[in-house]
Amino acid sequence: QVQLVESGGGLVQAGESLRLSCAASGSMHSFNTMGWYRQAPGMQRELVAVITDGGNTNYGDSVKGRFTISRDNAKNTVYLQMNSLKPEDTAVYYCYAETTVWRVWTYWGQGTQVTVSS
């Protein structure tokens, strides 16, 4: 049973920073892609950032230049460094992981709340 356990969310003021972590476990295969999505109230879930096991990254337009994604393949852990946070970054942040064994398998964490006050 694959589990994704997130940590690091919380309440900060605009301009401050937070670092999210997500540790994946329970898979016999490596996660080719890991990353983060977010969902604000009344909004669709959107891409924040993803990273492949080779280090290729993709960011949502609204976070480019402010957020940095990284991963530790040996620990199956992905990180999201969030700088210069804005109130519009307020959302539940979900960890995402993907493996490819015959087909693509996707996994989600339970979500961690990030609230940015103005």
Side-chain angles (χ1 to χ4, degrees):
Q1 183 80 2
V2 173
Q3 285 191 317
L4 305 180
V5 179
E6 301 130 330
S7 60
L11 171 63
V12 297
Q13 293 189 333
E16 295 184 339
S17 300
L18 274 177
R19 187 186 193 220
L20 305 183
S21 300
C22 172
S25 63
S27 175
M28 295 180 61
H29 306 278
S30 62
F31 298 97
N32 47 289
T33 299
M34 299 183 74
W36 298 90
Y37 286 73
R38 68 186 182 186
Q39 189 167 19
M43 305 291 286
Q44 288 189 331
R45 192 171 294 191
E46 65 173 359
L47 169 71
V48 178
V50 292
I51 183 169
T52 68
D53 52 4
N56 293 318
T57 59
N58 187 32
Y59 292 90
D61 288 341
S62 61
V63 306
K64 286 179 181 177
R66 300 187 298 122
F67 291 10
T68 303
I69 191 169
S70 60
R71 66 186 284 176
D72 184 330
N73 291 333
K75 295 181 180 180
N76 280 332
T77 300
V78 62
Y79 307 96
L80 185 68
Q81 178 65 43
M82 305 185 292
N83 297 330
S84 302
L85 282 161
K86 304 176 181 179
E88 50 264 43
D89 294 317
T90 296
V92 177
Y93 284 68
Y94 294 94
C95 181
Y96 169 87
E98 176 185 297
T99 62
T100 303
V101 181
W102 299 109
R103 66 171 181 88
V104 175
W105 301 83
T106 60
Y107 305 96
W108 294 92
Q110 80 284 357
T112 185
Q113 177 70 44
V114 172
T115 302
V116 185
S117 64
S118 57

